[in-house]
Amino acid sequence: MQGYADPGLCRELADRIRAALTGRLRFMEVCGTHTVSIYRSGLRSLLPPEVEHVSGPGCPVCVTHAREIAACIALARIPGVIVLTFGDMMRIPDSRGMSLQQAKARGADVRICYSPAEALQLARANPDQEVVFLGVGFETTAPAVAAVVKQAGQNGLDNLSLLSCHKRIPPALGHLLAGRDLDVDALLLPGHVSTVIGLGPYSFLGREFGIPSAVSGFEPADILMGLYSLVRQQEKQKPEVINAYPRAVKDQGNRAAQAVLEEVFDSGPAQWRGLGRIEDSGLYLAPEYSGLDAWKRFGLEDIEDREPPGCRCGEVLKGKLHPRQCPLFGAGCTPSRPAGPCMVSTEGSCAAVFKYGM
Ligand code: SF4
């Protein structure tokens, strides 16, 4: 891994990019881990000014819609319910500034986990309480959650349910590109998601939108290799999907993970923060598992909310606004007092810019 951060290799790759450039390359990275890696490594200082970078909607906590955050907080307030979540969700504020962390401070039973499998243990240990796991994330995390749902069903754990806020990346990319106001020349595709789905689901990017794309890993040299492949596609005027992360991503993805996703979830429309409703982009429990659906079990389907006042995460997530252009950045919104999710999540663009500058 150290080799992929080697300064000499990075400089060499940056020189190759510079030599192959034929004009502007404004690329969007579609993964929060890329966002952080680019800012943390100072990678942009190696790149020529023609290579421009915008962040996209690849931070799963950031794109979780305001109504989903409101539903999580509403759940936590129900007596007898234990809410189990990954830590990033704790401090996301709703439109009134309430968060799971504040609900916990007021007596709600909200617990942080490191693996969805902990939900099974918690439900077994607390048979008289309802345990709800907050399923947030893309195709990367959804298979592990699906496996837990399957096991809960097999073991008859009827005090466990899932609030699925899972989302799919390819439909969101199609939605962004179909909007006429997205000004990008190429896409750096998420390595983690691609380990599960492979390259096939991205094939429409070149065919329908003529946009070069490359799956990339997360070390500085991985990202530069991804960028080099984008520059080469631009040079050859041949947009396709290149796997620039072959040490982790197989072209066909992970068949076992795909199988469990298909068994447990159906896709349907989902609301994304900043992007609105996107067809086919949400993952919901299939009819066979609908008894474990917390949206239905707790009557949360009609809940609504809007973005916190003044927060411009929606524009940041669409690559239209640099975090520093948000009037609240660094003043009304800091990592210790966040106004929106992009300042909370470790993968959020606002948090990355606040921490690493640029
Ligand atoms: Fe939202 Fe804060 Fe980012 Fe502004 S700086 S877009 S308020 S998270």
PDB file of all heavy atoms in Angstrom, residues 247-277:
ATOM      1  N   ARG A 247      -6.646  -4.534  -8.734  1.00  0.00           N
ATOM      2  CA  ARG A 247      -6.229  -5.364  -7.600  1.00  0.00           C
ATOM      3  C   ARG A 247      -7.388  -5.604  -6.626  1.00  0.00           C
ATOM      4  O   ARG A 247      -7.299  -6.468  -5.768  1.00  0.00           O
ATOM      5  CB  ARG A 247      -5.017  -4.756  -6.903  1.00  0.00           C
ATOM      6  CG  ARG A 247      -5.266  -3.543  -6.047  1.00  0.00           C
ATOM      7  CD  ARG A 247      -3.926  -3.144  -5.379  1.00  0.00           C
ATOM      8  NE  ARG A 247      -4.089  -2.103  -4.383  1.00  0.00           N
ATOM      9  CZ  ARG A 247      -4.210  -0.820  -4.647  1.00  0.00           C
ATOM     10  NH1 ARG A 247      -4.197  -0.402  -5.897  1.00  0.00           N
ATOM     11  NH2 ARG A 247      -4.341   0.066  -3.663  1.00  0.00           N
ATOM     12  N   ALA A 248      -8.488  -4.834  -6.767  1.00  0.00           N
ATOM     13  CA  ALA A 248      -9.641  -5.037  -5.873  1.00  0.00           C
ATOM     14  C   ALA A 248     -10.942  -5.301  -6.633  1.00  0.00           C
ATOM     15  O   ALA A 248     -11.835  -5.972  -6.117  1.00  0.00           O
ATOM     16  CB  ALA A 248      -9.829  -3.819  -4.978  1.00  0.00           C
ATOM     17  N   VAL A 249     -11.047  -4.771  -7.837  1.00  0.00           N
ATOM     18  CA  VAL A 249     -12.323  -4.833  -8.560  1.00  0.00           C
ATOM     19  C   VAL A 249     -12.240  -5.823  -9.715  1.00  0.00           C
ATOM     20  O   VAL A 249     -11.347  -5.723 -10.562  1.00  0.00           O
ATOM     21  CB  VAL A 249     -12.709  -3.430  -9.104  1.00  0.00           C
ATOM     22  CG1 VAL A 249     -13.961  -3.500  -9.973  1.00  0.00           C
ATOM     23  CG2 VAL A 249     -12.894  -2.450  -7.958  1.00  0.00           C
ATOM     24  N   LYS A 250     -13.174  -6.769  -9.736  1.00  0.00           N
ATOM     25  CA  LYS A 250     -13.282  -7.660 -10.897  1.00  0.00           C
ATOM     26  C   LYS A 250     -14.333  -7.084 -11.832  1.00  0.00           C
ATOM     27  O   LYS A 250     -15.330  -6.509 -11.377  1.00  0.00           O
ATOM     28  CB  LYS A 250     -13.729  -9.060 -10.447  1.00  0.00           C
ATOM     29  CG  LYS A 250     -12.737  -9.778  -9.554  1.00  0.00           C
ATOM     30  CD  LYS A 250     -13.190 -11.240  -9.417  1.00  0.00           C
ATOM     31  CE  LYS A 250     -12.225 -12.026  -8.567  1.00  0.00           C
ATOM     32  NZ  LYS A 250     -12.504 -11.939  -7.137  1.00  0.00           N
ATOM     33  N   ASP A 251     -14.127  -7.283 -13.121  1.00  0.00           N
ATOM     34  CA  ASP A 251     -15.072  -6.699 -14.077  1.00  0.00           C
ATOM     35  C   ASP A 251     -16.506  -7.136 -13.791  1.00  0.00           C
ATOM     36  O   ASP A 251     -17.455  -6.374 -13.970  1.00  0.00           O
ATOM     37  CB  ASP A 251     -14.686  -7.080 -15.513  1.00  0.00           C
ATOM     38  CG  ASP A 251     -13.413  -6.365 -15.962  1.00  0.00           C
ATOM     39  OD1 ASP A 251     -12.828  -5.633 -15.137  1.00  0.00           O
ATOM     40  OD2 ASP A 251     -13.009  -6.543 -17.125  1.00  0.00           O
ATOM     41  N   GLN A 252     -16.673  -8.386 -13.348  1.00  0.00           N
ATOM     42  CA  GLN A 252     -18.031  -8.881 -13.091  1.00  0.00           C
ATOM     43  C   GLN A 252     -18.508  -8.586 -11.674  1.00  0.00           C
ATOM     44  O   GLN A 252     -19.650  -8.881 -11.325  1.00  0.00           O
ATOM     45  CB  GLN A 252     -18.122 -10.393 -13.371  1.00  0.00           C
ATOM     46  CG  GLN A 252     -17.457 -11.275 -12.338  1.00  0.00           C
ATOM     47  CD  GLN A 252     -15.952 -11.457 -12.586  1.00  0.00           C
ATOM     48  OE1 GLN A 252     -15.343 -10.709 -13.341  1.00  0.00           O
ATOM     49  NE2 GLN A 252     -15.357 -12.455 -11.962  1.00  0.00           N
ATOM     50  N   GLY A 253     -17.651  -7.990 -10.841  1.00  0.00           N
ATOM     51  CA  GLY A 253     -18.034  -7.678  -9.462  1.00  0.00           C
ATOM     52  C   GLY A 253     -18.023  -8.911  -8.581  1.00  0.00           C
ATOM     53  O   GLY A 253     -17.367  -9.905  -8.882  1.00  0.00           O
ATOM     54  N   ASN A 254     -18.754  -8.825  -7.488  1.00  0.00           N
ATOM     55  CA  ASN A 254     -18.830  -9.928  -6.517  1.00  0.00           C
ATOM     56  C   ASN A 254     -20.192 -10.600  -6.653  1.00  0.00           C
ATOM     57  O   ASN A 254     -21.216 -10.070  -6.210  1.00  0.00           O
ATOM     58  CB  ASN A 254     -18.635  -9.336  -5.103  1.00  0.00           C
ATOM     59  CG  ASN A 254     -18.679 -10.388  -4.023  1.00  0.00           C
ATOM     60  OD1 ASN A 254     -19.347 -11.415  -4.155  1.00  0.00           O
ATOM     61  ND2 ASN A 254     -17.965 -10.140  -2.948  1.00  0.00           N
ATOM     62  N   ARG A 255     -20.187 -11.776  -7.285  1.00  0.00           N
ATOM     63  CA  ARG A 255     -21.454 -12.461  -7.595  1.00  0.00           C
ATOM     64  C   ARG A 255     -22.237 -12.843  -6.336  1.00  0.00           C
ATOM     65  O   ARG A 255     -23.455 -12.771  -6.305  1.00  0.00           O
ATOM     66  CB  ARG A 255     -21.180 -13.727  -8.397  1.00  0.00           C
ATOM     67  CG  ARG A 255     -20.502 -13.452  -9.732  1.00  0.00           C
ATOM     68  CD  ARG A 255     -21.536 -13.327 -10.823  1.00  0.00           C
ATOM     69  NE  ARG A 255     -20.908 -13.458 -12.117  1.00  0.00           N
ATOM     70  CZ  ARG A 255     -21.052 -12.596 -13.121  1.00  0.00           C
ATOM     71  NH1 ARG A 255     -21.800 -11.534 -12.979  1.00  0.00           N
ATOM     72  NH2 ARG A 255     -20.458 -12.807 -14.276  1.00  0.00           N
ATOM     73  N   ALA A 256     -21.526 -13.270  -5.276  1.00  0.00           N
ATOM     74  CA  ALA A 256     -22.222 -13.678  -4.044  1.00  0.00           C
ATOM     75  C   ALA A 256     -22.934 -12.467  -3.424  1.00  0.00           C
ATOM     76  O   ALA A 256     -24.091 -12.563  -2.974  1.00  0.00           O
ATOM     77  CB  ALA A 256     -21.237 -14.282  -3.057  1.00  0.00           C
ATOM     78  N   ALA A 257     -22.238 -11.322  -3.417  1.00  0.00           N
ATOM     79  CA  ALA A 257     -22.856 -10.106  -2.860  1.00  0.00           C
ATOM     80  C   ALA A 257     -24.048  -9.673  -3.708  1.00  0.00           C
ATOM     81  O   ALA A 257     -25.094  -9.259  -3.186  1.00  0.00           O
ATOM     82  CB  ALA A 257     -21.814  -8.986  -2.783  1.00  0.00           C
ATOM     83  N   GLN A 258     -23.897  -9.787  -5.030  1.00  0.00           N
ATOM     84  CA  GLN A 258     -25.016  -9.413  -5.915  1.00  0.00           C
ATOM     85  C   GLN A 258     -26.222 -10.324  -5.663  1.00  0.00           C
ATOM     86  O   GLN A 258     -27.375  -9.868  -5.665  1.00  0.00           O
ATOM     87  CB  GLN A 258     -24.580  -9.514  -7.380  1.00  0.00           C
ATOM     88  CG  GLN A 258     -23.557  -8.464  -7.789  1.00  0.00           C
ATOM     89  CD  GLN A 258     -22.847  -8.811  -9.088  1.00  0.00           C
ATOM     90  OE1 GLN A 258     -23.280  -9.682  -9.847  1.00  0.00           O
ATOM     91  NE2 GLN A 258     -21.747  -8.136  -9.349  1.00  0.00           N
ATOM     92  N   ALA A 259     -25.948 -11.614  -5.413  1.00  0.00           N
ATOM     93  CA  ALA A 259     -27.050 -12.573  -5.220  1.00  0.00           C
ATOM     94  C   ALA A 259     -27.850 -12.249  -3.961  1.00  0.00           C
ATOM     95  O   ALA A 259     -29.084 -12.271  -3.969  1.00  0.00           O
ATOM     96  CB  ALA A 259     -26.498 -13.997  -5.161  1.00  0.00           C
ATOM     97  N   VAL A 260     -27.147 -11.938  -2.869  1.00  0.00           N
ATOM     98  CA  VAL A 260     -27.874 -11.658  -1.628  1.00  0.00           C
ATOM     99  C   VAL A 260     -28.639 -10.329  -1.740  1.00  0.00           C
ATOM    100  O   VAL A 260     -29.745 -10.179  -1.211  1.00  0.00           O
ATOM    101  CB  VAL A 260     -26.935 -11.713  -0.392  1.00  0.00           C
ATOM    102  CG1 VAL A 260     -26.027 -10.513  -0.285  1.00  0.00           C
ATOM    103  CG2 VAL A 260     -27.736 -11.875   0.886  1.00  0.00           C
ATOM    104  N   LEU A 261     -28.058  -9.374  -2.477  1.00  0.00           N
ATOM    105  CA  LEU A 261     -28.777  -8.107  -2.703  1.00  0.00           C
ATOM    106  C   LEU A 261     -30.073  -8.358  -3.458  1.00  0.00           C
ATOM    107  O   LEU A 261     -31.132  -7.827  -3.114  1.00  0.00           O
ATOM    108  CB  LEU A 261     -27.909  -7.150  -3.523  1.00  0.00           C
ATOM    109  CG  LEU A 261     -26.871  -6.302  -2.789  1.00  0.00           C
ATOM    110  CD1 LEU A 261     -26.155  -5.388  -3.759  1.00  0.00           C
ATOM    111  CD2 LEU A 261     -27.528  -5.486  -1.692  1.00  0.00           C
ATOM    112  N   GLU A 262     -29.964  -9.165  -4.513  1.00  0.00           N
ATOM    113  CA  GLU A 262     -31.152  -9.450  -5.338  1.00  0.00           C
ATOM    114  C   GLU A 262     -32.220 -10.204  -4.564  1.00  0.00           C
ATOM    115  O   GLU A 262     -33.420  -9.966  -4.749  1.00  0.00           O
ATOM    116  CB  GLU A 262     -30.746 -10.274  -6.553  1.00  0.00           C
ATOM    117  CG  GLU A 262     -30.429  -9.412  -7.746  1.00  0.00           C
ATOM    118  CD  GLU A 262     -29.803 -10.211  -8.866  1.00  0.00           C
ATOM    119  OE1 GLU A 262     -30.271 -11.324  -9.137  1.00  0.00           O
ATOM    120  OE2 GLU A 262     -28.833  -9.713  -9.456  1.00  0.00           O
ATOM    121  N   GLU A 263     -31.795 -11.070  -3.674  1.00  0.00           N
ATOM    122  CA  GLU A 263     -32.774 -11.855  -2.915  1.00  0.00           C
ATOM    123  C   GLU A 263     -33.523 -11.000  -1.894  1.00  0.00           C
ATOM    124  O   GLU A 263     -34.735 -11.122  -1.730  1.00  0.00           O
ATOM    125  CB  GLU A 263     -32.059 -13.012  -2.196  1.00  0.00           C
ATOM    126  CG  GLU A 263     -33.054 -13.840  -1.390  1.00  0.00           C
ATOM    127  CD  GLU A 263     -32.396 -14.904  -0.535  1.00  0.00           C
ATOM    128  OE1 GLU A 263     -31.300 -15.356  -0.877  1.00  0.00           O
ATOM    129  OE2 GLU A 263     -33.010 -15.275   0.479  1.00  0.00           O
ATOM    130  N   VAL A 264     -32.802 -10.124  -1.217  1.00  0.00           N
ATOM    131  CA  VAL A 264     -33.397  -9.417  -0.074  1.00  0.00           C
ATOM    132  C   VAL A 264     -34.033  -8.082  -0.462  1.00  0.00           C
ATOM    133  O   VAL A 264     -35.018  -7.662   0.149  1.00  0.00           O
ATOM    134  CB  VAL A 264     -32.313  -9.218   1.028  1.00  0.00           C
ATOM    135  CG1 VAL A 264     -32.800  -8.321   2.143  1.00  0.00           C
ATOM    136  CG2 VAL A 264     -31.895 -10.575   1.583  1.00  0.00           C
ATOM    137  N   PHE A 265     -33.464  -7.416  -1.470  1.00  0.00           N
ATOM    138  CA  PHE A 265     -33.958  -6.072  -1.802  1.00  0.00           C
ATOM    139  C   PHE A 265     -34.604  -6.016  -3.184  1.00  0.00           C
ATOM    140  O   PHE A 265     -34.212  -6.733  -4.099  1.00  0.00           O
ATOM    141  CB  PHE A 265     -32.799  -5.070  -1.800  1.00  0.00           C
ATOM    142  CG  PHE A 265     -32.238  -4.750  -0.436  1.00  0.00           C
ATOM    143  CD1 PHE A 265     -30.932  -5.102  -0.107  1.00  0.00           C
ATOM    144  CD2 PHE A 265     -32.992  -4.083   0.517  1.00  0.00           C
ATOM    145  CE1 PHE A 265     -30.398  -4.816   1.138  1.00  0.00           C
ATOM    146  CE2 PHE A 265     -32.459  -3.778   1.775  1.00  0.00           C
ATOM    147  CZ  PHE A 265     -31.163  -4.152   2.078  1.00  0.00           C
ATOM    148  N   ASP A 266     -35.584  -5.117  -3.303  1.00  0.00           N
ATOM    149  CA  ASP A 266     -36.083  -4.681  -4.611  1.00  0.00           C
ATOM    150  C   ASP A 266     -35.681  -3.227  -4.777  1.00  0.00           C
ATOM    151  O   ASP A 266     -35.570  -2.494  -3.787  1.00  0.00           O
ATOM    152  CB  ASP A 266     -37.620  -4.757  -4.657  1.00  0.00           C
ATOM    153  CG  ASP A 266     -38.097  -6.195  -4.809  1.00  0.00           C
ATOM    154  OD1 ASP A 266     -37.298  -7.046  -5.240  1.00  0.00           O
ATOM    155  OD2 ASP A 266     -39.270  -6.457  -4.480  1.00  0.00           O
ATOM    156  N   SER A 267     -35.473  -2.789  -6.013  1.00  0.00           N
ATOM    157  CA  SER A 267     -35.160  -1.368  -6.186  1.00  0.00           C
ATOM    158  C   SER A 267     -36.423  -0.581  -6.471  1.00  0.00           C
ATOM    159  O   SER A 267     -37.413  -1.122  -6.986  1.00  0.00           O
ATOM    160  CB  SER A 267     -34.120  -1.164  -7.283  1.00  0.00           C
ATOM    161  OG  SER A 267     -34.570  -1.728  -8.473  1.00  0.00           O
ATOM    162  N   GLY A 268     -36.395   0.684  -6.120  1.00  0.00           N
ATOM    163  CA  GLY A 268     -37.538   1.575  -6.337  1.00  0.00           C
ATOM    164  C   GLY A 268     -37.073   3.019  -6.265  1.00  0.00           C
ATOM    165  O   GLY A 268     -35.881   3.276  -6.046  1.00  0.00           O
ATOM    166  N   PRO A 269     -37.990   3.964  -6.457  1.00  0.00           N
ATOM    167  CA  PRO A 269     -37.583   5.376  -6.418  1.00  0.00           C
ATOM    168  C   PRO A 269     -37.109   5.781  -5.024  1.00  0.00           C
ATOM    169  O   PRO A 269     -37.606   5.266  -4.033  1.00  0.00           O
ATOM    170  CB  PRO A 269     -38.872   6.127  -6.796  1.00  0.00           C
ATOM    171  CG  PRO A 269     -39.979   5.174  -6.498  1.00  0.00           C
ATOM    172  CD  PRO A 269     -39.428   3.793  -6.686  1.00  0.00           C
ATOM    173  N   ALA A 270     -36.154   6.675  -4.987  1.00  0.00           N
ATOM    174  CA  ALA A 270     -35.663   7.168  -3.684  1.00  0.00           C
ATOM    175  C   ALA A 270     -35.392   8.666  -3.774  1.00  0.00           C
ATOM    176  O   ALA A 270     -35.042   9.179  -4.837  1.00  0.00           O
ATOM    177  CB  ALA A 270     -34.383   6.437  -3.289  1.00  0.00           C
ATOM    178  N   GLN A 271     -35.561   9.329  -2.643  1.00  0.00           N
ATOM    179  CA  GLN A 271     -35.225  10.749  -2.535  1.00  0.00           C
ATOM    180  C   GLN A 271     -33.777  10.870  -2.082  1.00  0.00           C
ATOM    181  O   GLN A 271     -33.379  10.240  -1.109  1.00  0.00           O
ATOM    182  CB  GLN A 271     -36.118  11.420  -1.484  1.00  0.00           C
ATOM    183  CG  GLN A 271     -37.589  11.448  -1.829  1.00  0.00           C
ATOM    184  CD  GLN A 271     -37.926  12.558  -2.814  1.00  0.00           C
ATOM    185  OE1 GLN A 271     -37.069  13.375  -3.178  1.00  0.00           O
ATOM    186  NE2 GLN A 271     -39.171  12.581  -3.263  1.00  0.00           N
ATOM    187  N   TRP A 272     -32.995  11.660  -2.811  1.00  0.00           N
ATOM    188  CA  TRP A 272     -31.606  11.935  -2.446  1.00  0.00           C
ATOM    189  C   TRP A 272     -31.507  13.397  -2.013  1.00  0.00           C
ATOM    190  O   TRP A 272     -32.105  14.267  -2.654  1.00  0.00           O
ATOM    191  CB  TRP A 272     -30.660  11.738  -3.634  1.00  0.00           C
ATOM    192  CG  TRP A 272     -30.521  10.342  -4.128  1.00  0.00           C
ATOM    193  CD1 TRP A 272     -31.522   9.499  -4.509  1.00  0.00           C
ATOM    194  CD2 TRP A 272     -29.300   9.619  -4.316  1.00  0.00           C
ATOM    195  NE1 TRP A 272     -31.005   8.302  -4.915  1.00  0.00           N
ATOM    196  CE2 TRP A 272     -29.634   8.349  -4.813  1.00  0.00           C
ATOM    197  CE3 TRP A 272     -27.951   9.925  -4.113  1.00  0.00           C
ATOM    198  CZ2 TRP A 272     -28.666   7.388  -5.110  1.00  0.00           C
ATOM    199  CZ3 TRP A 272     -26.985   8.967  -4.415  1.00  0.00           C
ATOM    200  CH2 TRP A 272     -27.350   7.721  -4.909  1.00  0.00           C
ATOM    201  N   ARG A 273     -30.716  13.647  -0.981  1.00  0.00           N
ATOM    202  CA  ARG A 273     -30.505  15.040  -0.588  1.00  0.00           C
ATOM    203  C   ARG A 273     -29.850  15.787  -1.753  1.00  0.00           C
ATOM    204  O   ARG A 273     -28.850  15.347  -2.306  1.00  0.00           O
ATOM    205  CB  ARG A 273     -29.596  15.121   0.642  1.00  0.00           C
ATOM    206  CG  ARG A 273     -29.515  16.523   1.244  1.00  0.00           C
ATOM    207  CD  ARG A 273     -28.536  16.560   2.384  1.00  0.00           C
ATOM    208  NE  ARG A 273     -28.950  15.696   3.478  1.00  0.00           N
ATOM    209  CZ  ARG A 273     -29.637  16.099   4.546  1.00  0.00           C
ATOM    210  NH1 ARG A 273     -29.981  17.360   4.657  1.00  0.00           N
ATOM    211  NH2 ARG A 273     -29.974  15.245   5.501  1.00  0.00           N
ATOM    212  N   GLY A 274     -30.452  16.857  -2.143  1.00  0.00           N
ATOM    213  CA  GLY A 274     -29.885  17.693  -3.198  1.00  0.00           C
ATOM    214  C   GLY A 274     -30.212  17.239  -4.607  1.00  0.00           C
ATOM    215  O   GLY A 274     -30.271  18.041  -5.519  1.00  0.00           O
ATOM    216  N   LEU A 275     -30.437  15.961  -4.800  1.00  0.00           N
ATOM    217  CA  LEU A 275     -30.678  15.455  -6.155  1.00  0.00           C
ATOM    218  C   LEU A 275     -32.152  15.193  -6.418  1.00  0.00           C
ATOM    219  O   LEU A 275     -32.558  15.033  -7.565  1.00  0.00           O
ATOM    220  CB  LEU A 275     -29.889  14.160  -6.389  1.00  0.00           C
ATOM    221  CG  LEU A 275     -28.422  14.294  -6.807  1.00  0.00           C
ATOM    222  CD1 LEU A 275     -27.586  14.940  -5.713  1.00  0.00           C
ATOM    223  CD2 LEU A 275     -27.834  12.942  -7.143  1.00  0.00           C
ATOM    224  N   GLY A 276     -32.947  15.110  -5.355  1.00  0.00           N
ATOM    225  CA  GLY A 276     -34.382  14.861  -5.527  1.00  0.00           C
ATOM    226  C   GLY A 276     -34.685  13.390  -5.742  1.00  0.00           C
ATOM    227  O   GLY A 276     -33.882  12.509  -5.422  1.00  0.00           O
ATOM    228  N   ARG A 277     -35.872  13.146  -6.331  1.00  0.00           N
ATOM    229  CA  ARG A 277     -36.319  11.760  -6.527  1.00  0.00           C
ATOM    230  C   ARG A 277     -35.632  11.139  -7.753  1.00  0.00           C
ATOM    231  O   ARG A 277     -35.618  11.736  -8.832  1.00  0.00           O
ATOM    232  CB  ARG A 277     -37.841  11.783  -6.736  1.00  0.00           C
ATOM    233  CG  ARG A 277     -38.462  10.415  -6.994  1.00  0.00           C
ATOM    234  CD  ARG A 277     -39.927  10.612  -7.330  1.00  0.00           C
ATOM    235  NE  ARG A 277     -40.455   9.484  -8.055  1.00  0.00           N
ATOM    236  CZ  ARG A 277     -41.311   8.602  -7.563  1.00  0.00           C
ATOM    237  NH1 ARG A 277     -41.774   8.755  -6.348  1.00  0.00           N
ATOM    238  NH2 ARG A 277     -41.740   7.598  -8.295  1.00  0.00           N
TER     239      ARG A 277
END
